[in-house]
Amino acid sequence: TDQPPELGGYELHLRRARTEAREKLHALFTAPRYDQLLGGFAKVLEGAPSQAALRRWRSYRIADGMKKLLRKSVRRVLKLGRKVSSDTSDERLHRLRIRAKRLRYELEFFRDVYPSLDKAAKATKHLQDVLGEHQDACTAATSVVDYARSIRPRGSRRNTMPAAFAALLEREKHKAEAMRLAFAGEWQRFERLVDRTALA
């Protein structure tokens, strides 16, 4: 079906916002501060541990550090996730997504050396994906509302919204709700695979 004409301006608005975001990102990664940051990391990596540090940590294995790191991250995700209910705020789900993303990257970092982490990493990715789609839908819904308000003629009723925007908003809300429902199944799978026994 053809796109309703009133959505043409919104599409242009989104394209402009994306261009501005890309320009800001490009400026960030081409700034002198970014080069300084990379240079600082290089110096840290090139510097060998001192003899005192080697003596102190010579019996400390990578596996020990991995378990300590992963178990701490898992506890953080479980603490947030186990509190999720039907009335949990979108902001709290977003915080859970960020925690899950960090855990996923940590699991994937160690997965090549410890293949037993593969199932936990995949379960965390699926959980993150569901929460990511929920956040995308919430962000899109907010964007629709903000844009519709910005183009509302003076004197119009406060809650009126063009039909095309109302339909778009309803679609994003429906998607967000669907992801909330999908979360329950993904959380059960995640909790089963990413626990202390899985990381033992």
Side-chain angles (χ1 to χ4, degrees):
T1 58
D2 294 333
Q3 175 177 279
E6 56 264 44
L7 292 183
Y10 182 53
E11 181 181 0
L12 180 60
H13 166 76
L14 293 177
R15 289 180 181 274
R16 286 174 175 168
R18 183 176 61 180
T19 299
E20 290 176 5
R22 284 181 173 177
E23 289 174 351
K24 289 180 180 179
L25 191 62
H26 180 265
L28 179 65
F29 284 106
T30 55
R33 287 183 62 187
Y34 181 69
D35 290 335
Q36 293 170 3
L37 177 65
L38 293 182
F41 276 133
K43 287 181 180 179
V44 170
L45 294 175
E46 289 170 1
S50 66
Q51 291 300 315
L54 289 173
R55 286 193 299 270
R56 181 180 180 185
W57 300 107
R58 62 187 172 187
S59 62
Y60 194 74
R61 302 176 303 159
I62 292 176
D64 297 327
M66 178 201 71
K67 288 179 182 178
K68 184 177 181 180
L69 174 70
L70 291 181
R71 284 175 177 168
K72 184 177 181 180
S73 295
V74 167
R75 284 196 299 269
R76 287 175 172 173
V77 175
L78 291 177
K79 183 178 180 180
L80 281 174
R82 285 172 175 166
K83 294 179 181 178
V84 171
S85 63
S86 59
D87 60 349
T88 297
S89 68
D90 297 334
E91 291 77 16
R92 184 176 290 273
L93 288 175
H94 181 48
R95 288 199 298 273
L96 177 58
R97 182 188 73 85
I98 293 173
R99 291 287 189 190
K101 180 173 67 172
R102 291 175 180 172
L103 174 61
R104 170 199 167 187
Y105 291 156
E106 291 168 2
L107 288 166
E108 290 177 346
F109 179 82
F110 291 108
R111 182 174 55 186
D112 290 341
V113 181
Y114 300 97
S116 60
L117 297 175
D118 184 61
K119 290 183 178 179
K122 288 180 178 177
T124 307
K125 180 183 183 302
H126 291 312
L127 179 68
Q128 179 199 338
D129 288 344
V130 168
L131 292 169
E133 288 192 44
H134 174 268
Q135 177 63 20
D136 288 346
C138 292
T139 300
T142 300
S143 177
V144 169
V145 172
D146 289 345
Y147 181 78
R149 286 176 178 170
S150 72
I151 63 170
R152 187 171 55 211
R154 286 189 176 184
S156 62
R157 291 192 313 174
R158 187 171 187 178
N159 294 325
T160 58
M161 180 182 289
F165 289 104
L168 187 58
L169 177 60
E170 188 61 28
R171 188 180 72 180
E172 297 300 339
K173 286 183 175 180
H174 179 74
K175 181 180 177 182
E177 186 59 32
M179 291 302 102
R180 277 181 175 268
L181 294 175
F183 169 81
E186 289 298 339
W187 178 256
Q188 289 178 0
R189 181 169 179 263
F190 168 84
E191 201 169 15
R192 185 174 68 250
L193 293 173
V194 187
D195 58 13
R196 289 177 181 256
T197 57
L199 302 178

